[in-house]
Amino acid sequence: MTESAAAAIARAGSAVELLRNAQARPTIFPVTPEFSNWRSEQRSWRESVALLDQSHHMTDLFISGPDALRLLADTGVNSFASFPVDAAKQFVAVNDEGYLIGDAILFHLEEQVYDLVGWYMVLDWVQFIGETGDYDVTFERDANSLMRAAGEDPRFYRYELQGPHALALMEKLTGAPVPPTRFFGMATFEIAGTTVRSLRHGMAGQPGFELFGPWSDGARVRDAIIAAGEEFGLVLVGSKAYSSANLESAWVPSPLPAIFTGARSGDYLEWLPAARLGSLAGSFVSDDIEDFYLTPYDLGYGRSVAFDHEFIGRAALEQHAAGDRRRKVTLIWDPEDVAAAQRSLYEEGTPAKFIDLPKARYGLYQVDRVTVDGVDVGISHDCGYITNEQVFASLASIEEAYAEPGMRVVVTWGEHPVSRKPAVEPHRQVEIRATVAPAPYSRFARENYRKS
């Protein structure tokens, strides 16, 4: 019998205790780690064109039926006043108290058929609301390749083309000029004798296309991309480089979902399998799980909030909108302090927590303390190395008073007390100085991300 999240939390004593010491293995992208080396692969989406395979690490939740749009409007903070077929958007959901559940990409595939794609946290929430509410909808879940039954193929292949030569490569593949498509608009092409659907967007500000279609067509389309891409310097990108791409685009992929308290939490945690709870890592410590919650504004999602309809958490979110907010920023870690932490591996005594490259996150939910003069001013999320900027950086949510570029803060790296997660070794905490910078950090990305 599958253990529920509620039962697992009761067994551990609290949500914080369960997540902090979760025995989940480190999160990985189940594709080739590196085709060449992650440094060159990171550079490819800035200098030439990159091919990234998204087929295996994301979950699809297909939602269909007469009430599918109503369900999405009831659970999403986004406006659905106009959402035609062949459009997509970043879908954002909150709980009844206005705290963030998560975000995902929502595709409108055909009339009354939608595909919600991303981390499973927000997908689980939408499915729970749909199954327990008065909605005429059906769900079909295509789990990622780590959770899918052995031997089962994904329903769709998904390939990402990103970089300054992406448009030229697409025109060679399709044999025609690519029609103008707005950001997050969709189009249909013919590639290698197959019908391919495309989402227009950018990663780190560069022109980009997400191509998808039936899994059975995937190998043929991939081979065509590789053959046509040779003249454009196409680079195959593995999971190491791809997992770090969000540091450039400033997307926080897995904030801790606000599911452990609130009006619906009891029923939801009984419904949710414990295996999908995840793990909590980092130096920020509190016995109150709500101290780890975020609002959409803390992650820069205010542009997605539309109070033009009723949705779960609307009244509370309006209060958050009028209150104090944190701002999403990039923190540039001091090279000397990062080097000192890494050098501790070669010195006597207990070393600092290992800093992996290019991505140093060691839990599904990474939450590190950010302080000024010893006082907490925010939290740091994902962290890692950006070859294109030659910096070690993290994304963070910081109080407005400390969020201006150039301000100095301190990130505490490592845990105390040290947790029992498999990815955590004996270590000591260290303080790493950092400088506040805009998010995205890349000027090109800041100026072009929603235009590409």
Side-chain angles (χ1 to χ4, degrees):
M1 182 176 178
T2 301
E3 184 181 31
S4 71
I9 292 170
R11 173 172 48 80
S14 72
V16 170
E17 178 69 17
L18 178 65
L19 298 176
R20 177 68 70 182
N21 296 294
Q23 293 303 293
R25 297 173 63 186
T27 300
I28 62 171
F29 285 31
V31 295
T32 301
E34 295 172 286
F35 288 93
S36 54
N37 64 83
W38 58 261
R39 283 81 61 201
S40 298
E41 291 172 14
Q42 278 190 347
R43 291 175 59 187
S44 66
W45 57 69
R46 188 79 67 89
E47 298 178 355
S48 56
V49 58
L51 171 59
L52 308 97
D53 188 348
Q54 297 181 333
S55 307
H56 296 282
H57 73 280
M58 295 187 295
T59 298
D60 289 72
L61 182 66
F62 298 95
I63 309 167
S64 59
D67 291 338
L69 182 60
R70 181 167 69 89
L71 170 63
L72 291 164
D74 286 352
T75 52
V77 306
N78 314 76
S79 175
F80 288 90
S82 176
F83 189 45
V85 172
D86 283 339
K89 64 178 63 187
Q90 184 181 23
F91 176 89
V92 179
V94 298
N95 69 2
D96 290 86
E97 291 69 38
Y99 290 105
L100 186 71
I101 299 290
D103 71 294
I105 304 303
L106 177 64
F107 296 81
H108 193 173
L109 298 179
E110 54 187 271
E111 291 296 334
Q112 299 186 0
V113 179
Y114 302 84
D115 183 11
L116 192 58
V117 184
W119 281 102
Y120 52 81
M121 288 78 83
V122 71
L123 280 61
D124 287 337
W125 175 257
V126 172
Q127 185 171 353
F128 165 76
I129 299 297
E131 289 184 352
T132 58
D134 183 21
Y135 298 95
D136 184 3
V137 293
T138 58
F139 297 99
E140 180 185 349
R141 180 182 289 256
D142 185 17
N144 68 35
S145 292
L146 292 175
M147 295 183 171
R148 189 181 298 112
E152 287 188 11
D153 292 329
R155 175 168 170 176
F156 285 156
Y157 69 82
R158 291 187 186 276
Y159 302 138
E160 187 96 9
L161 290 178
Q162 294 288 344
H165 298 161
L167 182 60
L169 174 53
M170 279 293 295
E171 292 185 341
K172 181 176 181 179
L173 282 166
T174 60
V178 173
T181 308
R182 65 177 179 82
F183 184 84
F184 264 34
M186 293 168 62
T188 300
F189 301 99
E190 292 294 319
I191 296 177
T194 71
T195 299
V196 177
R197 301 187 79 169
S198 169
L199 173 68
R200 185 81 159 93
H201 69 94
M203 181 181 73
Q206 296 296 339
F209 302 86
E210 180 179 314
L211 309 177
F212 64 98
W215 176 258
S216 57
D217 294 340
R220 190 186 318 174
V221 172
R222 184 177 185 274
D223 289 346
I225 293 171
I226 293 173
E230 186 174 355
E231 72 171 277
F232 302 105
L234 178 74
V235 174
L236 303 183
V237 174
S239 61
K240 283 190 174 183
Y242 182 35
S243 70
S244 68
N246 69 293
L247 296 171
E248 293 192 47
S249 63
W251 174 60
V252 178
S254 55
L256 187 143
I259 60 174
F260 300 96
T261 58
R264 300 170 205 257
S265 62
D267 291 340
Y268 182 61
L269 294 173
E270 290 287 354
W271 177 91
L272 182 70
R276 294 210 289 268
L277 278 175
S279 61
L280 177 62
S283 59
F284 182 80
V285 175
S286 172
D287 292 331
D288 187 350
I289 192 66
E290 292 189 356
D291 288 341
F292 296 86
Y293 288 0
L294 300 164
T295 74
Y297 301 104
D298 295 335
L299 293 182
Y301 295 157
R303 66 179 184 274
S304 297
V305 177
F307 295 116
D308 63 352
H309 67 296
E310 292 299 322
F311 58 85
I312 293 172
R314 171 180 167 163
L317 192 56
E318 286 179 314
Q319 294 183 351
H320 290 308
D324 294 333
R325 305 182 186 179
R326 289 175 174 176
R327 189 193 311 175
K328 182 173 67 173
V329 300
T330 304
L331 300 181
I332 307 303
W333 295 21
D334 277 20
E336 297 84 359
D337 291 354
V338 175
Q342 293 173 320
R343 190 175 60 245
S344 69
L345 295 172
Y346 309 100
E347 299 170 340
E348 291 187 5
T350 303
K353 177 76 184 74
F354 180 66
I355 298 178
D356 204 0
L357 296 178
K359 198 70 168 290
R361 182 178 73 187
Y362 58 94
L364 184 58
Y365 315 121
Q366 186 75 31
V367 187
D368 289 307
R369 289 185 69 198
V370 179
T371 59
V372 173
D373 296 329
V375 177
D376 287 85
V377 299
I379 57 174
S380 174
H381 310 288
D382 273 19
C383 56
Y385 184 75
I386 306 174
T387 299
N388 291 311
E389 304 292 343
Q390 291 188 281
V391 296
F392 192 95
S394 65
L395 303 175
S397 300
I398 303 294
E399 294 176 13
E400 284 283 353
Y402 303 94
E404 289 301 315
M407 297 200 74
R408 300 284 286 170
V409 299
V410 172
V411 178
T412 302
W413 177 248
E415 298 182 346
H416 181 75
V418 175
S419 68
R420 300 188 300 274
K421 290 186 294 296
V424 177
E425 75 282 10
H427 66 272
R428 60 180 170 87
Q429 282 189 332
V430 294
E431 291 188 342
I432 296 181
R433 295 166 294 176
T435 302
V436 175
Y441 178 60
S442 162
R443 180 177 178 180
F444 191 97
R446 292 198 305 274
E447 296 178 353
N448 294 277
Y449 182 63
R450 296 189 65 84
K451 302 175 185 177
S452 302

